[in-house]
Amino acid sequence: MRQVFMALAVLLGVALAQAPVKVGVLAPLSGFAAADGRSALTGIELAVEEINAQGGLLGRPVELVVYDDQADPKQAVNFARRLVELDKVAFVIGASYSGASLAAAPVVNEAGIPFIAAYAVAPDITRDKPYVFRMGLLGTVQGRVGAELAHELGAKRVAILTIQNDFGRALEAGFRERAQVLGLEIVYRDTYPLGNKNFTPILARLRAARPEVLYASAYFSEAANLVRQVRSLGMEVRVIGQEGYDSPKFIELAGDAAEGVLITTTLDRDSTDPAVQRFLEAYRERAGIPADMVGASGYAAMQVMALAAQRAGGLDGEALREALAQLEEVETVVGHVFYWTEDGDPVKTATVQEVREGRFRRFMKFDRIEVLKP
Amino acid sequence: MDWVTFGYLAVDGLAVGSVYALTALGLTLVYGLLRVLHVAHAGVYAVGAYGGWLAYSATEHLGFALAAGALAATLFGLFLEWWFYRPLAGKPPLIPLIGSIGLFLATGDLLRILFGPYQQSLPALEPRPVLFLGAVGVTAPQVAVLLGTALLLLGVYGVTARTRLGLAWRALAQDLEVASALGIHPPRHTALAFALASALAGVAGVLIGVYYNQVYPTMGDVPAYKALAVVVLGGLGSVWGTVAAGVLLGLVESLALAFLGNAFPPEGVAFLALIVVLLVRPQGLFGR
Amino acid sequence: MYAVTVLTLLLLFAILALSLNLITGVAGQVTLGHAAFFGVGAYTLAYLTTEAGVGFGPALAASVLAAGVVGLALGAVSLRLREDFLAIATIGVNFVAVAAFLYLPYFGGAFGISDIPRPAGPLGFFGLVLLAFAFTAWLHERVRASDLGLALLALRESEAAAAALGVDVRRFKVTAFALGCALAGLAGGLYASYIRVIHPEDFGFPLSVTLLAMVAVGGMGTLWGPIAGAVLLGGFAQAFAFVQNYQLFLYGLLLALTMRYRPQGLLGRRP
């Protein structure tokens, strides 16, 4: 036993003696997006701890260089430049929203350094940028999964409520495209602004259209109010949400009204993969609340980058990019990635989770590749 | 649209509008005395909500939550008045305005540093119908908000209309110099006005926290500018104009959304209306 | 290049702060909607260079013109409103502008406009922005030192006094608005081309607040005040990146402390 410890200590000593691998992180840690920034960073930190505990990346410890971009494109550009030039990071994890990621990605791309957007959904982030990859499910793809789910539930009459930003718009586009193929009738559609709290007037209108299913894009704080107000108006409509709802805070804030809500997402709480269960436990221990999709995506993005670095056998930007592009059949805590497209978007499985007794539980797996392809 | 739907919308609009009124009322009281746009009032509102959340977490009692919210907000408001606004009295209005915005930003971010960035729940009342007006169900949070606002407004009316203090305030609001010459002491009165305004904001924060079951660091962002719009519509400094404007805005928003949907951007339309109103009546809807 | 990147943004902020200073510092009209004009400039250039295929130069001229024309309209409106009402009406202008960017067709809606062309590399573009800044500073000083500027400064002290001197108060207010907004449009056009992707919320009310804070913290009505304010507040996030978790808190506190203990601004003279 003692020898084992000694050997470990020596190995660890070797790893720590090496110059650390610097990894850049851009996340909104203050301002309106601070909750998501905090979750994503927690996930990334967990992944780094695990990597370092196992002897580091290519034998070197990983060190994070984190900047708070406040989800502001102006700050994101400045900090991206800083990561690339002053901090000389090996790669960058974009843990911010679409606007900031769209501004930061070209800077990192031009420097020939790989960038992975953990959960931002705007399609343009990866387009025409060979060094830029994505971890999250594209909004349009997820919208299609939502329509498949509505169809699965046997619904014919569907209402769509869309959050007025790129996330909501991409989801709606995917949903409508697939709904047409599946013959779903869209009986009502409307949009609402980010941060909206009062849905009662819209719901009053919506009720008159008598939909069986309401496909509503939202982040968890809006979603909680939406389902509460659906409940207090005594409506019978089934709510389908997506990864924006994917937070333990949704269930806490919505209370009983969350029961029976279905969401399309990528973090499967009932996964039999021990790595997922290990992650869920480690996250809860560290953050004090259960994991959400954003945190899991940060964790997965860091792991995928580390995996690519191992395959490449080094941290050279070009080699890393090639290794990333060639990754196939990767199991992550946010789904099984079949491969990354030429644009750098993942083709990966989704899951449908249902809120039952105050927890997200698996409702069904979704792995039909013809629907999941961008 | 049928009458039941209309009823639901009216109740919803009244509830939302009465909270607008409650938040904006404090701003008007402060404006009436100091002639400053007290943007940090929305920070006081958030501090009140956090006070209520902490008390509710400890006691699970709505009464304690409201009291704690009012207390926390009052103390914070008094501090702001003493440290920030009083020394700046008489300076051009832009100076306290900018500083007030800074205070507002710092307050929200301090709450994030202390209590984390996540939304906290304040599940004091279930959003279920507890009262039926015909076929229209009114939920417990709606009853709490409507009742709470009505009682507080009566209280404010009592203070401003029936006591010597209120008389002094009105004199001050009308003409600072004359009032001072008559022996009314502004510092004590402005402090009292701040205390009352802040307590109202604190209660509004807790009520909104319960109404939407959410308390979070940036919850003052929307009230920060919406309350300003209400105050201006009400005619800057007019107490009853503010109340009327707040309730009216809530009702109009609710009904407009229901009739028009979000085809038009609601915030844009509201402010466009404000600009038009100001062009027609530069002194505000209810201003003299 | 990092220094160039940071400086480019700071210069853009400095142009914005000086342009706002013409309206607020010199003519004494408090506006909390300046970001709207920055946005009008940015959207004009973005639309013209991507969808309409117009070259950078004419598109930038159009940005200046568009923002100037809207500013002229606001200037006319401002004549009807007294101080605090004007401040709040301009908040409204900002919200209406953001809503227009979000809902009008051609403007890309929630997706914004991306892949906006940039006519030069980072260094070349920095030179262009430097030129624009120099022009703005020159114009700012011309206005301040001209009969018009002196009249505007007089106006700030007392409208009645200015009117008694035979100064056409109304014309000066409107001129200040139009000029200030046109310069904001210039900054907007440059910004869109520099950052290459714009969204409606980039031009929201919080930015207007930041701009007004730059002018007030630096020192209203002066040349170096707004520039210093732009550098201090615009560079705050970069300079204080090491206090990451407390950045926004310190920023807010800085505004409050400056106004409390040095109300005339860092470089302003005591009245």
Side-chain angles (χ1 to χ4, degrees), chain A residues 2-327:
Chain A
R2 256 182 85 137
Q3 278 98 334
V4 178
F5 273 123
M6 295 279 280
L8 270 176
V10 169
L11 267 176
L12 206 63
V14 170
L16 293 176
Q18 299 260 5
V21 177
K22 284 191 177 178
V23 173
V25 177
L26 296 174
L29 299 173
S30 57
F32 74 98
D36 277 337
R38 169 56 51 202
S39 290
L41 183 59
T42 304
I44 295 167
E45 284 171 348
L46 270 179
V48 168
E49 266 170 38
E50 275 176 26
I51 291 166
N52 284 344
Q54 287 160 11
L57 184 56
L58 304 167
R60 293 161 58 187
V62 174
E63 185 187 302
L64 292 177
V65 184
V66 184
Y67 291 123
D68 175 11
D69 69 9
Q70 298 186 13
D72 175 359
K74 294 186 282 296
Q75 294 308 334
V77 165
N78 276 345
F79 281 125
R81 188 68 78 179
R82 184 159 168 166
L83 284 172
V84 164
E85 282 176 22
L86 299 193
D87 301 312
K88 301 201 186 322
V89 294
F91 51 86
V92 176
I93 299 176
S96 193
Y97 283 17
S98 289
S101 302
L102 270 169
V107 174
V108 182
N109 181 62
E110 276 159 30
I113 290 172
F115 178 99
I116 186 162
Y119 61 96
V121 292
D124 283 0
I125 295 173
T126 50
R127 209 177 54 194
D128 298 330
K129 295 176 201 83
Y131 290 88
V132 179
F133 293 80
R134 190 194 308 271
M135 192 65 237
L137 204 55
L138 269 174
T140 41
V141 172
Q142 199 175 147
R144 284 186 221 146
V145 176
E148 290 283 344
L149 173 60
H151 183 63
E152 196 85 18
L153 294 171
K156 286 274 175 287
R157 300 170 62 82
V158 181
I160 303 179
L161 194 52
T162 299
I163 188 162
Q164 182 61 285
N165 67 3
D166 53 1
F167 174 64
R169 284 298 186 185
L171 289 166
E172 184 186 351
F175 186 94
R176 291 174 70 172
E177 168 208 316
R178 199 70 197 160
Q180 196 165 25
V181 175
L182 297 169
L184 300 175
E185 190 194 347
I186 292 162
V187 294
Y188 179 90
R189 58 177 291 271
D190 203 350
T191 60
Y192 70 90
L194 181 73
N196 190 49
K197 294 265 173 286
N198 190 12
F199 291 91
T200 303
I202 306 177
L203 289 173
R205 261 166 87 82
L206 191 147
R207 177 156 64 177
R210 287 178 294 104
E212 296 150 307
V213 159
L214 167 58
Y215 183 70
S217 52
Y219 299 106
F220 65 86
S221 68
E222 290 105 0
N225 273 307
L226 175 74
V227 301
R228 269 164 66 95
Q229 289 160 27
V230 165
R231 180 67 69 93
S232 48
L233 285 173
M235 292 168 67
E236 291 296 326
V237 67
R238 185 103 195 230
V239 178
I240 297 181
Q242 7 40 42
E243 63 182 28
Y245 293 45
D246 189 330
S247 163
K249 282 286 170 184
F250 166 65
I251 299 174
E252 181 192 326
L253 298 173
D256 283 350
E259 289 295 309
V261 171
L262 293 166
I263 68 169
T264 59
T265 183
T266 49
L267 175 59
D268 181 4
R269 273 76 174 180
D270 287 331
S271 169
T272 49
D273 180 357
V276 175
Q277 294 307 327
R278 227 177 23 243
F279 164 75
L280 289 173
E281 197 166 316
Y283 189 100
R284 179 197 273 278
E285 201 165 291
R286 191 188 175 93
I289 56 170
D292 54 18
M293 179 280 304
V294 169
S297 297
Y299 178 84
M302 181 65 216
Q303 281 192 327
V304 164
M305 277 293 195
L307 180 64
Q310 268 153 13
R311 294 272 168 90
L315 294 164
D316 170 60
E318 176 58 27
L320 203 53
R321 184 195 72 77
E322 250 173 60
L324 267 167
Q326 282 165 10
L327 285 181

Side-chain angles (χ1 to χ4, degrees), chain C residues 97-110:
Chain C
V98 169
F101 298 148
L102 192 57
Y103 280 81
L104 285 182
Y106 328 113
F107 284 162

Side-chain angles (χ1 to χ4, degrees), chain C residues 45 122 128 183 209 212 234:
Chain C
L45 182 123
L128 193 64
L183 288 172
V209 169
L212 192 59

Side-chain angles (χ1 to χ4, degrees), chain C residues 7-248:
Chain C
L7 278 175
T8 305
L9 188 66
L10 290 183
L11 284 179
L12 286 171
F13 275 133
I15 297 175
L16 284 169
L18 284 175
S19 69
L20 179 58
N21 193 42
L22 284 180
I23 302 170
T24 301
V26 183
Q29 303 288 91
V30 176
T31 157
L32 274 165
H34 208 51
F37 300 93
F38 181 51
V40 168
Y43 265 95
T44 305
L45 182 123
Y47 174 75
L48 289 178
T49 53
T50 55
E51 299 292 317
V54 176
F56 175 79
L60 191 62
S63 292
V64 175
L65 196 67
V69 168
V70 185
L72 198 64
L74 179 63
V77 168
S78 78
L79 297 178
R80 272 188 71 84
L81 300 174
R82 73 176 160 83
E83 213 165 51
D84 295 321
F85 285 90
L86 176 64
I88 291 165
T90 52
I91 298 178
V93 169
N94 207 152
F95 276 91
V96 172
V98 169
F101 298 148
L102 192 57
Y103 280 81
L104 285 182
Y106 328 113
F107 284 162
F111 288 108
I113 301 179
S114 45
D115 289 332
I116 301 161
R118 190 194 292 162
L123 209 57
F125 198 81
F126 172 71
L128 193 64
V129 175
L130 195 62
L131 212 62
F133 167 72
F135 172 72
T136 305
W138 172 77
L139 195 67
H140 184 271
E141 286 311 273
R142 276 294 301 259
V143 171
R144 242 170 30 115
S146 69
D147 291 350
L148 176 72
L150 294 175
L152 287 173
L153 280 168
L155 183 65
R156 203 176 131 215
E157 299 306 325
S158 160
E159 281 194 21
L165 287 171
V167 171
D168 185 346
V169 174
R170 299 167 65 88
R171 212 190 84 209
F172 289 138
K173 278 188 185 176
V174 176
T175 311
F177 260 105
L179 265 184
C181 292
L183 288 172
L186 173 69
L190 289 169
Y191 170 79
S193 171
Y194 164 67
I195 209 111
R196 305 192 56 202
V197 47
I198 56 172
H199 289 90
E201 67 268 20
D202 300 344
F203 309 100
F205 175 54
L207 180 61
S208 292
V209 169
T210 305
L211 296 177
L212 192 59
M214 284 172 180
V215 174
V217 166
M220 280 198 298
T222 65
L223 169 68
W224 291 105
I227 297 175
V231 171
L232 184 66
L233 298 186
F236 196 84
Q238 292 301 315
F240 288 86
F242 62 94
V243 291
Q244 211 189 84
N245 198 34
Y246 303 96
Q247 224 184 84
L248 186 61

Side-chain angles (χ1 to χ4, degrees), chain B residues 119-140:
Chain B
Q119 275 83 352
Q120 309 291 353
S121 63
L122 188 44
L125 295 169
E126 283 284 311
R128 283 184 209 290
V130 288
L131 182 75
F132 283 88
L133 305 171
V136 179
V138 186
T139 66

